[in-house]
Amino acid sequence: SAVISQKPSRDICQRGTSLTIQCQVDSQVTMMFWYRQQPGQSLTLIATANQGSEATYESGFVIDKFPISRPNLTFSTLTVSNMSPEDSSIYLCSVGLAGDVYEQFFGPGTRLTVL
Amino acid sequence: QQPVQSPQAVILREGEDAVINCSSSKALYSVHWYRQKHGEAPVFLMILLKGGEQKGHDKISASFNEKKQQSSLYLTASQLSYSGTYFCGTAPNTGNQFYFGTGTSLTVIP
């Protein structure tokens, strides 16, 4: 298993600003992912964070809005840029361990409110 | 690409059984099941690979019908701790794409 921490746990931001969310894992992992979850809704995959290369984004998500970094196998950041109230959501990182079929372990999430 | 789950919500009394279904429009390589309690992160329950296998631990088990692109989660003799939202997650191949289902809210009452 893996222990994942996220910072900040919650934040309230003004429209037009940006917020960077950090995800730290207690061990080296192959896969890292970023999800968004609206209240009462399912989880939507934003992107796969690739170590040493550009993230792979899902349809509807773009790098300019959600730039992602992954400098090593234990850390990643997601930035929510030029925020609007529609970006208010819970953002979760998850990790998958080695292997081609993997269970995912989730961080506690970052609750973002944009005013 | 999002799998559809049914029912959307279910209320059980302790000791009753429940079945949650997950259906995908695409061919699947694997199905994953997670449970999320209010205000917490999703927690992994089990993975099923194509081949029609059935898995289980304790009183929670699941099946995967590859041909029908469906999976079902079975909860028997439900306990209060089973309450939460259950999500299936489906992967069409061994790559990174992994899609969560619409979710099923399960409430167990005394």
Side-chain angles (χ1 to χ4, degrees):
Chain A
S1 66
V3 177
I4 306 159
S5 60
Q6 283 186 233
K7 289 182 182 179
S9 59
R10 57 177 63 225
D11 206 341
I12 300 173
C13 300
Q14 295 297 319
R15 180 195 299 259
T17 63
S18 298
L19 176 71
T20 295
I21 302 168
Q22 299 179 7
C23 177
Q24 179 74 54
V25 190
D26 68 342
S27 59
Q28 294 187 341
V29 295
T30 306
M31 308 289 188
M32 292 184 79
F33 307 93
W34 287 98
Y35 289 86
R36 181 171 72 183
Q37 186 175 30
Q38 309 274 6
Q41 302 294 314
S42 183
L43 293 87
T44 301
L45 179 62
I46 297 172
T48 302
N50 301 308
Q51 194 265 330
S53 64
E54 194 171 283
T56 304
Y57 290 85
E58 295 297 311
S59 176
F61 298 95
V62 295
I63 187 171
D64 289 346
K65 176 67 175 176
F66 298 100
I68 288 171
S69 77
R70 188 174 176 193
N72 56 52
L73 293 176
T74 64
F75 185 78
S76 178
T77 65
L78 168 74
T79 299
V80 186
S81 303
N82 188 25
M83 289 184 286
S84 66
E86 291 72 34
D87 294 320
S88 296
S89 190
I90 298 173
Y91 292 85
L92 301 102
C93 71
S94 75
V95 303
L97 304 182
D100 64 351
V101 178
Y102 44 83
E103 60 185 272
Q104 293 191 24
F105 299 92
F106 284 82
T110 295
R111 182 179 294 272
L112 171 64
T113 302
V114 184
L115 304 177
Chain B
Q1 300 224 35
Q2 184 177 39
V4 177
Q5 292 180 229
S6 62
Q8 283 187 311
V10 58
I11 299 175
L12 301 173
R13 291 198 178 275
E14 265 187 301
E16 291 183 338
D17 302 340
V19 180
I20 300 172
N21 300 302
C22 173
S23 182
S24 173
S25 61
K26 291 186 173 290
L28 301 175
Y29 178 77
S30 64
V31 178
H32 310 225
W33 286 97
Y34 289 80
R35 176 171 61 209
Q36 185 178 33
K37 293 185 179 286
H38 184 70
E40 299 180 6
V43 173
F44 170 79
L45 294 176
M46 64 186 77
I47 294 176
L48 301 99
L49 304 180
K50 68 177 182 179
E53 70 175 78
Q54 184 151 350
K55 271 195 176 182
H57 55 83
D58 238 356
K59 297 184 176 67
I60 300 176
S61 62
S63 64
F64 177 23
N65 188 320
E66 174 192 350
K67 290 182 180 177
K68 292 186 177 180
Q69 297 158 195
Q70 295 175 343
S71 177
S72 294
L73 186 71
Y74 308 93
L75 301 100
T76 59
S78 58
Q79 306 167 17
L80 295 176
S81 62
Y82 285 4
S83 293
T85 301
Y86 289 78
F87 293 101
C88 66
T90 59
N93 51 48
T94 60
N96 293 335
Q97 292 92 341
F98 183 90
Y99 303 101
F100 277 90
T102 50
T104 296
S105 173
L106 186 141
T107 304
V108 181
I109 58 177

